[in-house]
Amino acid sequence: MSEKKANLKKAREALAAKDWRDVLLHCKLVLKEDRACYEAYVYVGKAAFQLREYEQADLSYQKATELNDKAPQAWQGLSELYVETQQWVKAAEADQVLVDLAHRGDESLAAKLPALVRRLGAAHAAAGQLEEAEVVLREVLAHPLPAEEKLPVLAQLADVQLREDSAELEAKVQQRLQDKR
């Protein structure tokens, strides 16, 4: 077994054991040998995220997406990172890539599509992109869904619509107050 494979195996084992520093150590050795190892960058991203080294996690996941933009693991890591750090626009961008990958037939994501789209809608809503959130959620509802999946989407859509209506009413009130001055 090559040294790269052995270190990747040790990194996987360290991931399973949640030994984040050991993951970083073994991945550093892998990347010393192969600067284009997607898996090592994903592992570094995951370990750095768990250690709350968010900048390192972001850089590692970004490098992984540059190496393979069609593999979902790095995009999932970026989504998780951006939600944790409340970078909602970036979270929505990462979630959109995951939804696109699911639509293109990525089998690991296809079954998760309703949850991915709900998460995309939530990221848009948290970013204040209410129209985008509404469009995404309506798209989900255009497809047949089991009741247990449809109800959360309907609730999320109602929340978005209420926020849109509230913002619109607030703007009208502000306009009327300015007109009276």
Side-chain angles (χ1 to χ4, degrees):
M1 179 182 302
S2 77
E3 195 169 322
K4 174 185 163 186
K5 285 184 181 182
N7 279 312
L8 275 175
K9 181 180 179 192
K10 289 177 184 175
R12 270 191 299 279
E13 291 167 356
L15 269 175
K18 298 183 180 184
D19 185 351
W20 310 121
R21 296 277 178 213
D22 213 29
V23 172
L24 295 175
L25 173 75
H26 291 294
C27 287
K28 184 178 178 181
L29 294 171
V30 169
L31 292 170
K32 197 173 188 180
E33 185 179 332
D34 179 4
R35 301 291 297 165
C37 182
Y38 173 85
E39 196 173 4
Y41 283 108
V42 170
Y43 292 170
V44 168
K46 181 70 173 171
F49 175 80
Q50 294 299 326
L51 293 168
R52 300 193 187 291
E53 295 174 7
Y54 297 135
E55 189 174 325
Q56 179 62 48
D58 193 6
L59 291 171
S60 295
Y61 285 137
Q62 289 292 345
K63 180 64 178 176
T65 63
E66 290 170 17
L67 292 170
N68 185 352
D69 64 350
K70 293 185 178 28
Q73 294 84 0
W75 292 110
Q76 289 167 324
L78 284 171
S79 174
E80 181 181 23
L81 170 66
Y82 295 145
V83 167
E84 177 71 20
T85 58
Q86 298 183 356
Q87 296 179 64
W88 301 113
V89 172
K90 288 183 174 184
E93 291 168 358
D95 287 338
Q96 183 63 60
V97 172
L98 290 168
V99 168
D100 292 344
L101 289 172
H103 282 301
R104 287 191 204 121
D106 185 300
E107 291 185 22
S108 69
L109 295 175
K112 301 175 187 174
L113 189 58
L116 288 172
V117 175
R118 282 197 312 272
R119 196 168 72 195
L120 174 59
H124 277 307
Q129 301 169 330
L130 300 177
E131 290 177 15
E132 290 91 337
E134 186 173 352
V135 167
V136 166
L137 295 170
R138 285 186 180 280
E139 240 178 71
V140 173
L141 293 171
H143 302 287
L145 289 173
E148 66 273 4
E149 290 180 21
K150 191 173 192 172
L151 187 58
V153 176
L154 286 169
Q156 194 175 2
L157 179 59
D159 287 344
V160 167
Q161 290 172 330
L162 285 171
R163 284 184 57 195
E164 283 180 308
D165 292 347
S166 176
E168 186 180 319
L169 288 173
E170 190 174 315
K172 285 181 182 179
V173 168
Q174 291 299 323
Q175 184 62 44
R176 284 184 184 164
L177 288 174
Q178 285 181 352
D179 290 347
K180 287 186 179 185
R181 292 182 185 174

